[in-house]
Amino acid sequence: MRLTFAIIYSVLIVLLGLFGMISRRSKKTVALPVSYLEFTFIVPIVGNLIIVLSQNELLSTIGSYTYFIGMDLMVFSLFDFTLSYCHIPWRSHRKKCYVIYAILTLDIIQYLFNPFFGQAFGMEAIMVDNAPYYRLVPHIGQIFHRIIVYIAFFTSLFIFIIKAIRVPRIYAEKYYVILFTMILASLWQSYYIFSRTPIDRSMLAFAVCAILIFYFSLFYRPFRLLDRMLANIASKIPEAVLFFDASNRCIWINNNASQLLQISTEKLDRVKHRLSAMFDDIGEGNDNWSSKQVIGSGKNAQYFTLKKHLVTDSNNKKIGSFLTILDNTPEIKKQQQEIYEATHDKLTGLFTKEHLFNVIKNRIVNDKETSYSIAYFDIKDFKMVNDIFGNTTGDNVLIRVANWIKEKAQDNWNYGRIGGDAFGLCYPTNTVRLGIVEDRLSKFVISNGTIDQHILLHVGIYHVTDPSIDVSIMFDRAHLAQKSIKNEYNMHIAIYDDKMRDQVLWSQKISAELETAIAQRQIVPYLQPIVDKNGSIIGAEALVRWIHPTEGFLPPFTFIPTFEKNGMIAEIDKYIWRCACEILSSWTDEKEKLFISVNISPKDFYFMDIYAEIKNLVDEFKLDPSRLRIEITETVMMTEAENRMAILSKFRKSGFIVEMDDFGSGYSSLNQLKDMPLDVLKIDMKFLNKAEDNHKAEIILRNVLRLSSDLGLFSLTEGVETEDQYKMLNEMGCNLFQGYYFAKPMAVADFEKLCASKA
Ligand code: C2E
Ligand code: MG
Ligand code: MG
């Protein structure tokens, strides 16, 4: 038996020595205390080995010393290790630690005195295995030793217990194992002490304790903790996660997966079935696979991204796989909402201009077989609706119109809101019968329940003849057609033709050229004589002509409408007025009595102070104001009538003669006529010539001339083309005459020659 223990002890000594050396090499903070512990645990075992092997008292006594001092060193290093392993901040407990170290040192010192005083122990011989075996006889000092060792040992034990209780259960394992062996060793050691059995078997427990300490402090990794951590991470990620083993059996799912599949985390055998029921494809047979899938449709649609990942061991052999399912519904819905908002008009819900243009472009480009048409809808006088009824009503009208378009549109039409009150539409030409649309437009009424409001929609249509042009140009063309609608109340649709485009190009060209044309005197006044009852020339009307360097002789109708529209007419008029003044001031002798009438466009009132402009001219050329006659038309009075009347009064007061041009061809208001500051009423024969019944025309003319004289106005008939007309008008009492019968408008020099020939 002694030999057996000797062998066991020797093996343990070698093992602990080895562990001690391995620990020294480790870089962990706990490594040094562990290595001390391994080495110090050797000392009492060596003591016991000596005791077991020796058969004489001296050797046994040396063994006993080694044993006891070794025990001190052992609890010493155990305590040291405990502080480090249990993360006890050594510095804050420094004093308590010093006490432990001091009493252990005292115990060692006490043993040094034992050979002299014998106060700790003595030796007695007994027979073990038929050989003398020296066993220790404890004295008082031995009790001191035991108390000290127990104190130090239980302090360590106590620290371990506290630590094991305090840490999360997952960590407690590494404390409990060491704690358990420590308790076992201490109980065994106590049994040895009190049973007085010759061989200290508890050394085995201490050695096991040292081995466990070596393993747990340097090599142990809490795999359960790792498991728990991974499971935790897998639970917290936004995806549903499902783990499968090598034979594709589901072994774990996270909470998201459990919610998604509506399966409890325990009923994993139903996972496959649920997955197949939910998704079209679950990547069966594929280990690395991904797919985007939609469940349901419309507002209830749910969007998922499924990904399957293979898990392999270090030899690249499949050990399992996991499937992640991400519910992308919120992001995709948000994206869809953003796209919707970017492509749809907020107010009407129709496509925005940009989006509509894109859709139409793709459609026309990709379908060259079908012929398409583009329609431009405009709400007539929408600005007025807004101004008079307010924006809310205006918005309401827009919504109603949008709904009307939506309602009437066929599935294969594209439409949207392309401006404030403008809507755009693209349709295959053969799907629309314009007659029906015209009829619908004429009946288009918005009703708010009690009041029906007729809304005038004007539609310009461009039949796409050239699919390669930009969609915006197609709409420009449709818009152009829409703007061409003049007879607004009976006609709602106009179709684009190339003349409209030519007109636009022409307008652009002449607008760009006007400034140079004036500077280079390409713009000139022609004069058309005005005669009195006797046929004598008493004055002339200045009528503008453009002697264009490339286009040739341009009469007013080729450019005046353009400049009336863009306001550039004011530049022409100012220039013609100046020319008229120049001419008047150049006339001497007989011609000094002649006057020139100049035309004033209604637009001029917006761009300048007409009175100041003309008055300055007359002053500059030192002319008698009555020689520069002012021709205005009825349209001038259609807006700001009072203000306009005041201006005309100012002219008259300053000695100008004011003529009402084209009387009867515009929106004549006879009521206004009585208040208007006028001198001459100019009646255009053209409007009478148009009348089918000549007799009635004569009656009107006679009455207008009488009205004129009754109002104290002079009358001037223009457009007199025949002698008969002249005689008749003369007989009717007309005062002045102008027309081809007397002379056509002519260059100034020609006019001057004509006057000279008549004189
Ligand atoms: P308006 O002021 O009523 O001018 C009379 C127009 O009748 C002139 O046409 C003249 O040539 C034409 N006319 C005169 N006698 C006869 C006739 O016996 N038979 C026919 N068929 N026509 C006759 P024009 O010169 O082509 O001018 C057309 C219009 O252009 C003018 O009508 C006037 O409204 C405008 N206009 C002409 N020059 C100016 C200008 O300098 N400034 C402005 N703002 N408008 C002008
Ligand atoms: Mg005129
Ligand atoms: Mg006229």
Side-chain angles (χ1 to χ4, degrees):
M1 187 170 71
R2 287 174 72 168
L3 190 65
T4 316
F5 273 96
I7 293 167
I8 293 172
Y9 287 156
S10 305
V11 171
L12 291 178
I13 289 164
V14 172
L15 263 183
L16 295 186
L18 203 66
F19 293 166
M21 283 191 295
I22 295 171
S23 313
R24 272 205 92 85
R25 295 217 182 117
S26 167
K27 292 206 163 57
K28 291 194 171 180
T29 40
V30 75
L32 207 61
V34 171
S35 121
Y36 286 145
L37 184 136
E38 300 299 317
F39 289 131
T40 52
F41 269 49
I42 293 174
V43 184
I45 302 176
V46 169
N48 273 290
L49 180 65
I50 297 169
I51 294 169
V52 169
L53 288 180
S54 80
Q55 293 186 6
N56 70 53
E57 191 177 348
L58 178 66
L59 219 55
S60 296
T61 311
I62 293 171
S64 294
Y65 276 118
T66 316
Y67 174 31
F68 290 121
I69 292 172
M71 285 304 276
D72 280 329
L73 292 174
M74 193 176 87
V75 285
F76 194 94
S77 68
L78 182 67
F79 180 70
D80 198 38
F81 160 77
T82 304
L83 294 181
S84 173
Y85 190 68
C86 299
H87 308 287
I88 305 296
W90 182 87
R91 286 174 195 286
S92 56
H93 298 283
R94 195 181 287 181
K95 280 186 186 157
K96 289 175 220 160
C97 295
Y98 283 153
V99 172
I100 304 271
Y101 296 143
I103 54 175
L104 283 168
T105 316
L106 266 180
D107 194 39
I108 293 170
I109 294 168
Q110 165 208 200
Y111 277 109
L112 299 179
F113 284 107
N114 193 50
F116 311 105
F117 302 108
Q119 89 289 354
F121 64 86
M123 301 298 283
E124 66 176 5
I126 54 167
M127 290 303 281
V128 175
D129 291 352
N130 298 320
Y133 179 90
Y134 288 89
R135 176 171 78 176
L136 177 139
V137 182
H139 297 155
I140 183 83
Q142 187 65 4
I143 293 165
F144 175 72
H145 163 75
R146 282 175 190 160
I147 290 171
I148 284 167
V149 169
Y150 275 114
I151 287 175
F153 185 82
F154 282 116
T155 310
S156 298
L157 207 65
F158 178 71
I159 292 173
F160 261 93
I161 290 171
I162 298 292
K163 193 73 188 178
I165 293 170
R166 282 206 185 149
V167 293
R169 269 185 51 197
I170 201 114
Y171 291 103
E173 183 177 82
K174 67 173 196 172
Y175 295 101
Y176 279 127
V177 174
I178 296 175
L179 190 63
F180 177 73
T181 51
M182 278 166 73
I183 293 170
L184 186 77
S186 71
L187 290 176
W188 209 346
Q189 163 79 182
S190 308
Y191 170 75
Y192 160 72
I193 293 169
F194 296 106
S195 68
R196 291 192 53 73
T197 43
I199 299 171
D200 187 353
R201 292 174 170 83
S202 71
M203 283 302 111
L204 294 179
F206 281 113
V208 170
C209 185
I211 292 166
L212 288 175
I213 284 172
F214 171 71
Y215 168 72
F216 275 95
S217 46
L218 297 185
F219 301 103
Y220 168 79
R221 265 195 297 153
F223 282 108
R224 277 203 312 136
L225 172 69
L226 200 64
D227 273 4
R228 197 61 69 77
M229 276 182 165
L230 290 176
N232 236 298
I233 292 168
S235 299
K236 291 210 169 106
I237 57 175
E239 283 104 332
V241 184
L242 303 98
F243 290 168
F244 299 91
D245 65 10
S247 51
N248 275 334
R249 262 201 325 252
C250 184
I251 49 171
W252 184 85
I253 61 174
N254 70 356
N255 284 339
N256 286 344
S258 141
Q259 275 166 18
L260 178 72
L261 302 177
Q262 293 180 340
I263 296 183
S264 86
T265 44
E266 272 78 49
K267 293 198 171 156
L268 297 179
D269 44 334
R270 287 183 53 220
V271 163
K272 272 280 166 65
H273 176 72
R274 288 288 301 143
L275 276 175
S276 308
M278 268 185 92
F279 299 100
D280 296 339
D281 183 5
I282 54 167
E284 205 110 41
N286 277 329
D287 284 323
N288 276 322
W289 163 90
S290 77
S291 139
K292 287 186 187 301
Q293 295 184 34
V294 187
I295 297 178
S297 59
K299 278 192 175 161
N300 298 324
Q302 283 181 292
Y303 302 83
F304 294 97
T305 306
L306 286 81
K307 274 189 190 156
K308 211 164 169 192
H309 312 257
L310 178 68
V311 182
T312 55
D313 65 7
S314 52
N315 297 324
N316 235 357
K317 246 182 97 186
K318 175 176 174 177
I319 52 170
S321 63
F322 65 95
L323 175 70
T324 56
I325 305 172
L326 182 63
D327 182 355
N328 303 118
T329 312
E331 296 97 272
I332 296 210
K333 290 243 159 111
K334 198 174 154 217
Q335 261 173 26
Q336 285 175 343
Q337 182 63 26
E338 280 168 7
I339 292 173
Y340 180 87
E341 278 166 17
T343 53
H344 288 73
D345 173 48
K346 265 206 192 75
L347 182 70
T348 60
L350 299 189
F351 283 174
T352 55
K353 177 177 159 184
E354 292 73 22
H355 187 54
L356 178 69
F357 282 17
N358 276 337
V359 169
I360 294 176
K361 187 179 165 193
N362 289 337
R363 187 159 180 196
I364 292 180
V365 165
N366 292 326
D367 179 11
K368 297 229 163 67
E369 300 297 301
T370 315
S371 67
Y372 286 98
S373 293
I374 296 287
Y376 185 106
F377 283 70
D378 179 83
I379 304 174
K380 194 75 196 131
D381 298 327
F382 181 70
K383 193 179 163 330
M384 209 174 71
V385 175
N386 255 343
D387 290 349
I388 298 175
F389 300 106
N391 286 347
T392 318
T393 311
D395 284 355
N396 201 26
V397 168
L398 289 173
I399 293 168
R400 298 291 186 93
V401 172
N403 289 345
W404 184 78
I405 293 175
K406 224 185 286 180
E407 210 175 279
K408 302 283 184 248
Q410 294 176 16
D411 289 346
N412 58 351
W413 296 6
N414 303 111
Y415 46 87
R417 183 179 174 201
I418 56 175
D421 63 341
F423 296 86
L425 203 144
C426 170
Y427 58 91
T429 310
N430 62 10
T431 58
V432 169
R433 283 184 37 215
L434 290 178
I436 297 175
V437 180
E438 177 72 65
D439 188 48
R440 278 187 187 152
L441 287 168
S442 66
K443 290 178 188 149
F444 183 51
V445 164
I446 286 180
S447 167
N448 68 356
T450 47
I451 307 166
D452 286 353
Q453 193 181 347
H454 191 82
I455 291 288
L456 211 52
L457 278 179
H458 281 176
V459 185
I461 289 172
Y462 167 62
H463 296 308
V464 181
T465 45
D466 179 3
S468 65
I469 61 168
D470 218 62
V471 175
S472 66
I473 296 177
M474 296 179 186
F475 271 97
D476 285 347
R477 292 183 177 180
H479 189 189
L480 212 59
Q482 178 266 316
K483 281 194 289 191
S484 74
I485 301 175
K486 294 268 158 52
N487 185 0
E488 3 191 272
Y489 295 96
N490 307 326
M491 191 181 149
H492 301 85
I493 300 177
I495 294 167
Y496 170 87
D497 65 41
D498 282 341
K499 273 189 220 140
M500 291 175 178
R501 187 194 53 188
D502 295 345
Q503 179 57 46
V504 172
L505 294 178
W506 172 255
S507 296
Q508 284 169 351
K509 174 181 153 72
I510 57 173
S511 300
E513 289 173 351
L514 180 65
E515 206 183 316
T516 337
I518 291 177
Q520 294 179 354
R521 294 197 162 242
Q522 294 168 20
I523 306 276
V524 292
Y526 264 39
L527 295 178
Q528 186 179 30
I530 292 168
V531 301
D532 63 8
K533 275 176 164 294
N534 308 319
S536 316
I537 298 173
I538 56 160
E541 179 176 3
L543 295 158
V544 69
R545 300 291 181 264
W546 186 336
I547 321 287
H548 196 281
T550 54
E551 305 289 336
F553 185 84
L554 300 178
F557 75 85
T558 59
F559 56 92
I560 294 247
T562 295
F563 296 136
E564 287 264 13
K565 238 181 247 167
N566 65 18
M568 285 166 107
I569 187 69
E571 296 311 309
I572 295 187
D573 280 355
K574 266 196 280 187
Y575 175 68
I576 294 292
W577 303 338
R578 173 167 284 276
C579 290
C581 291
E582 270 170 12
I583 297 164
L584 285 172
S585 72
S586 73
W587 285 345
T588 49
D589 307 329
E590 283 302 306
K591 289 201 290 286
E592 231 175 330
K593 289 177 206 136
L594 300 179
F595 65 84
I596 295 181
S597 315
V598 288
N599 288 288
I600 292 179
S601 158
K603 282 284 169 78
D604 291 337
F605 287 84
Y606 294 105
F607 293 99
M608 64 186 129
D609 178 347
I610 294 177
Y611 173 76
E613 193 74 35
I614 293 180
K615 181 77 174 72
N616 286 344
L617 276 173
V618 173
D619 290 348
E620 185 187 328
F621 288 92
K622 301 194 176 58
L623 294 174
D624 174 358
S626 66
R627 295 184 65 206
L628 187 73
R629 295 192 177 189
I630 309 292
E631 282 191 22
I632 52 136
T633 57
E634 286 157 308
T635 31
V636 165
M637 288 301 154
M638 277 176 66
T639 43
E640 301 179 38
E642 275 184 31
N643 183 21
R644 303 277 157 92
M645 282 200 206
I647 296 173
L648 297 184
S649 294
K650 260 203 302 193
F651 271 116
R652 291 188 72 222
K653 267 185 206 147
S654 303
F656 290 93
I657 290 174
V658 178
E659 303 186 347
M660 167 68 81
D661 200 358
D662 301 339
F663 179 73
S665 63
Y667 301 92
S668 312
S669 164
L670 293 174
N671 187 37
Q672 231 173 37
L673 196 62
K674 73 175 175 9
D675 304 322
M676 273 182 53
L678 288 180
D679 299 288
V680 178
L681 208 57
K682 210 168 165 180
I683 305 136
D684 198 331
M685 287 292 286
K686 251 183 283 165
F687 117 88
L688 290 163
N689 287 345
K690 265 192 231 155
E692 280 166 21
D693 188 336
N694 258 337
H695 181 62
K696 275 189 187 162
E698 268 182 44
I699 295 173
I700 294 171
L701 192 55
R702 190 181 298 277
N703 281 290
V704 171
L705 288 170
R706 183 174 308 149
L707 175 77
S708 161
S709 98
D710 287 355
L711 287 171
L713 303 172
F714 276 87
S715 50
L716 192 164
T717 333
E718 59 177 331
V720 180
E721 292 184 347
T722 61
E723 191 179 357
D724 287 351
Q725 284 177 343
Y726 173 48
K727 279 188 180 158
M728 182 185 72
L729 290 163
N730 224 336
E731 176 259 321
M732 284 178 183
C734 182
N735 306 111
L736 302 171
F737 309 87
Q738 180 185 348
Y740 294 172
Y741 173 64
F742 308 102
K744 287 195 170 183
M746 60 191 82
V748 177
D750 293 337
F751 179 81
E752 286 168 352
K753 264 185 231 159
L754 181 72
C755 289
S757 72
K758 293 256 162 135

